[in-house]
Amino acid sequence: MALELGCQHRESIRQHAMRDYPSECCGVLLGKADGDAKEVTEVVALTNLRHDPCRAQELVPLDDLGRETDKNRFLIDPLDQLRVEKDARARGLDVLGYYHSHPDHPARPSVYDRDHAWPWYSYVIIAVERGVPKDLTSWVLAEDRSAFGAETVIGD
Ligand SMILES: [Zn+2]
């Protein structure tokens, strides 16, 4: 499995991650899928709904509100998700995956990330250390949802 993510798309993820630091940023990756090969042609930045704790809590409750905030959790608004999917479909594009940042944490998926992921999709994580974007990695959940496997990221 490989994710083709060109330089300009990596850059827009980096910029978004910097802008939202120290909160987690999130967005959607659109493009073309051919079997397990995915080519990103568009990166759509979304608002982390955890910025609005009351509404987010109504949608997907957290166990430990207070410790879990927009600094270490992200949530995509289902309305944003629908809008992006519909728009992508109308233009013949697929939703290939999602990205989010890990402020002051390594670019590895958390248990929470695993519990909220679906197989096949690419989950790009970018680490941000003291406001500076660092490693960018991509992960795919196993069919049985037991674990994430690292996905190769290619691109110019
Ligand atoms: Zn995460």
PDB file of all heavy atoms in Angstrom, residues 12 30 46 62 83 95 123 131 135 139 146:
ATOM      1  N   SER A  12       0.451  21.977   2.539  1.00  0.00           N
ATOM      2  CA  SER A  12      -0.786  22.545   3.086  1.00  0.00           C
ATOM      3  C   SER A  12      -1.167  21.882   4.412  1.00  0.00           C
ATOM      4  O   SER A  12      -1.727  22.526   5.293  1.00  0.00           O
ATOM      5  CB  SER A  12      -1.937  22.535   2.066  1.00  0.00           C
ATOM      6  OG  SER A  12      -2.214  21.254   1.636  1.00  0.00           O
ATOM      7  N   LEU A  30      -8.615  13.872  -0.577  1.00  0.00           N
ATOM      8  CA  LEU A  30      -9.416  13.448  -1.722  1.00  0.00           C
ATOM      9  C   LEU A  30      -8.507  13.076  -2.881  1.00  0.00           C
ATOM     10  O   LEU A  30      -7.394  13.588  -2.991  1.00  0.00           O
ATOM     11  CB  LEU A  30     -10.335  14.582  -2.185  1.00  0.00           C
ATOM     12  CG  LEU A  30     -11.326  15.162  -1.180  1.00  0.00           C
ATOM     13  CD1 LEU A  30     -12.149  16.267  -1.838  1.00  0.00           C
ATOM     14  CD2 LEU A  30     -12.244  14.085  -0.625  1.00  0.00           C
ATOM     15  N   LEU A  46     -10.431  21.078   7.550  1.00  0.00           N
ATOM     16  CA  LEU A  46     -11.703  21.217   8.258  1.00  0.00           C
ATOM     17  C   LEU A  46     -11.455  21.779   9.644  1.00  0.00           C
ATOM     18  O   LEU A  46     -10.321  21.841  10.116  1.00  0.00           O
ATOM     19  CB  LEU A  46     -12.398  19.855   8.371  1.00  0.00           C
ATOM     20  CG  LEU A  46     -12.839  19.211   7.047  1.00  0.00           C
ATOM     21  CD1 LEU A  46     -13.425  17.837   7.319  1.00  0.00           C
ATOM     22  CD2 LEU A  46     -13.841  20.084   6.314  1.00  0.00           C
ATOM     23  N   LEU A  62     -16.720  12.091  25.223  1.00  0.00           N
ATOM     24  CA  LEU A  62     -15.419  11.649  25.726  1.00  0.00           C
ATOM     25  C   LEU A  62     -15.596  11.217  27.177  1.00  0.00           C
ATOM     26  O   LEU A  62     -16.437  11.761  27.883  1.00  0.00           O
ATOM     27  CB  LEU A  62     -14.414  12.802  25.656  1.00  0.00           C
ATOM     28  CG  LEU A  62     -14.047  13.315  24.260  1.00  0.00           C
ATOM     29  CD1 LEU A  62     -13.248  14.600  24.372  1.00  0.00           C
ATOM     30  CD2 LEU A  62     -13.268  12.252  23.500  1.00  0.00           C
ATOM     31  N   ARG A  83     -20.815  17.065   3.531  1.00  0.00           N
ATOM     32  CA  ARG A  83     -20.633  18.095   2.514  1.00  0.00           C
ATOM     33  C   ARG A  83     -19.422  17.765   1.634  1.00  0.00           C
ATOM     34  O   ARG A  83     -19.504  17.800   0.402  1.00  0.00           O
ATOM     35  CB  ARG A  83     -20.420  19.455   3.210  1.00  0.00           C
ATOM     36  CG  ARG A  83     -20.197  20.622   2.295  1.00  0.00           C
ATOM     37  CD  ARG A  83     -20.128  21.931   3.090  1.00  0.00           C
ATOM     38  NE  ARG A  83     -19.157  21.913   4.189  1.00  0.00           N
ATOM     39  CZ  ARG A  83     -17.846  22.067   4.038  1.00  0.00           C
ATOM     40  NH1 ARG A  83     -17.327  22.258   2.854  1.00  0.00           N
ATOM     41  NH2 ARG A  83     -17.037  22.027   5.086  1.00  0.00           N
ATOM     42  N   VAL A  95     -12.936   9.839  -1.276  1.00  0.00           N
ATOM     43  CA  VAL A  95     -12.323  10.163   0.012  1.00  0.00           C
ATOM     44  C   VAL A  95     -11.296   9.073   0.275  1.00  0.00           C
ATOM     45  O   VAL A  95     -11.635   7.903   0.399  1.00  0.00           O
ATOM     46  CB  VAL A  95     -13.369  10.212   1.149  1.00  0.00           C
ATOM     47  CG1 VAL A  95     -12.676  10.387   2.497  1.00  0.00           C
ATOM     48  CG2 VAL A  95     -14.371  11.334   0.917  1.00  0.00           C
ATOM     49  N   TYR A 123      -4.676   7.272   7.203  1.00  0.00           N
ATOM     50  CA  TYR A 123      -4.699   8.236   8.306  1.00  0.00           C
ATOM     51  C   TYR A 123      -3.324   8.884   8.410  1.00  0.00           C
ATOM     52  O   TYR A 123      -2.377   8.273   8.918  1.00  0.00           O
ATOM     53  CB  TYR A 123      -5.095   7.549   9.619  1.00  0.00           C
ATOM     54  CG  TYR A 123      -6.557   7.156   9.600  1.00  0.00           C
ATOM     55  CD1 TYR A 123      -6.952   5.929   9.089  1.00  0.00           C
ATOM     56  CD2 TYR A 123      -7.537   8.049  10.023  1.00  0.00           C
ATOM     57  CE1 TYR A 123      -8.301   5.591   9.014  1.00  0.00           C
ATOM     58  CE2 TYR A 123      -8.879   7.722   9.952  1.00  0.00           C
ATOM     59  CZ  TYR A 123      -9.252   6.492   9.443  1.00  0.00           C
ATOM     60  OH  TYR A 123     -10.575   6.164   9.352  1.00  0.00           O
ATOM     61  N   GLY A 131       5.242  24.068  17.926  1.00  0.00           N
ATOM     62  CA  GLY A 131       4.764  24.899  16.824  1.00  0.00           C
ATOM     63  C   GLY A 131       5.413  24.636  15.479  1.00  0.00           C
ATOM     64  O   GLY A 131       5.014  25.214  14.482  1.00  0.00           O
ATOM     65  N   ASP A 135       7.717  15.190  11.629  1.00  0.00           N
ATOM     66  CA  ASP A 135       7.422  13.985  10.839  1.00  0.00           C
ATOM     67  C   ASP A 135       5.987  13.930  10.348  1.00  0.00           C
ATOM     68  O   ASP A 135       5.059  14.283  11.073  1.00  0.00           O
ATOM     69  CB  ASP A 135       7.637  12.729  11.696  1.00  0.00           C
ATOM     70  CG  ASP A 135       9.082  12.532  12.043  1.00  0.00           C
ATOM     71  OD1 ASP A 135       9.931  13.189  11.412  1.00  0.00           O
ATOM     72  OD2 ASP A 135       9.354  11.727  12.951  1.00  0.00           O
ATOM     73  N   TRP A 139      -1.014   5.834   8.033  1.00  0.00           N
ATOM     74  CA  TRP A 139      -1.354   4.565   8.668  1.00  0.00           C
ATOM     75  C   TRP A 139      -2.647   4.013   8.094  1.00  0.00           C
ATOM     76  O   TRP A 139      -3.559   4.771   7.766  1.00  0.00           O
ATOM     77  CB  TRP A 139      -1.515   4.780  10.178  1.00  0.00           C
ATOM     78  CG  TRP A 139      -0.305   5.426  10.769  1.00  0.00           C
ATOM     79  CD1 TRP A 139      -0.032   6.762  10.784  1.00  0.00           C
ATOM     80  CD2 TRP A 139       0.825   4.778  11.355  1.00  0.00           C
ATOM     81  NE1 TRP A 139       1.204   6.979  11.367  1.00  0.00           N
ATOM     82  CE2 TRP A 139       1.738   5.777  11.723  1.00  0.00           C
ATOM     83  CE3 TRP A 139       1.138   3.437  11.616  1.00  0.00           C
ATOM     84  CZ2 TRP A 139       2.958   5.478  12.328  1.00  0.00           C
ATOM     85  CZ3 TRP A 139       2.342   3.146  12.225  1.00  0.00           C
ATOM     86  CH2 TRP A 139       3.250   4.161  12.580  1.00  0.00           C
ATOM     87  N   SER A 146      -7.402  -4.705  14.426  1.00  0.00           N
ATOM     88  CA  SER A 146      -6.531  -4.981  15.573  1.00  0.00           C
ATOM     89  C   SER A 146      -5.397  -3.978  15.693  1.00  0.00           C
ATOM     90  O   SER A 146      -4.965  -3.670  16.801  1.00  0.00           O
ATOM     91  CB  SER A 146      -5.951  -6.391  15.449  1.00  0.00           C
ATOM     92  OG  SER A 146      -5.219  -6.493  14.233  1.00  0.00           O
TER      93      SER A 146
END
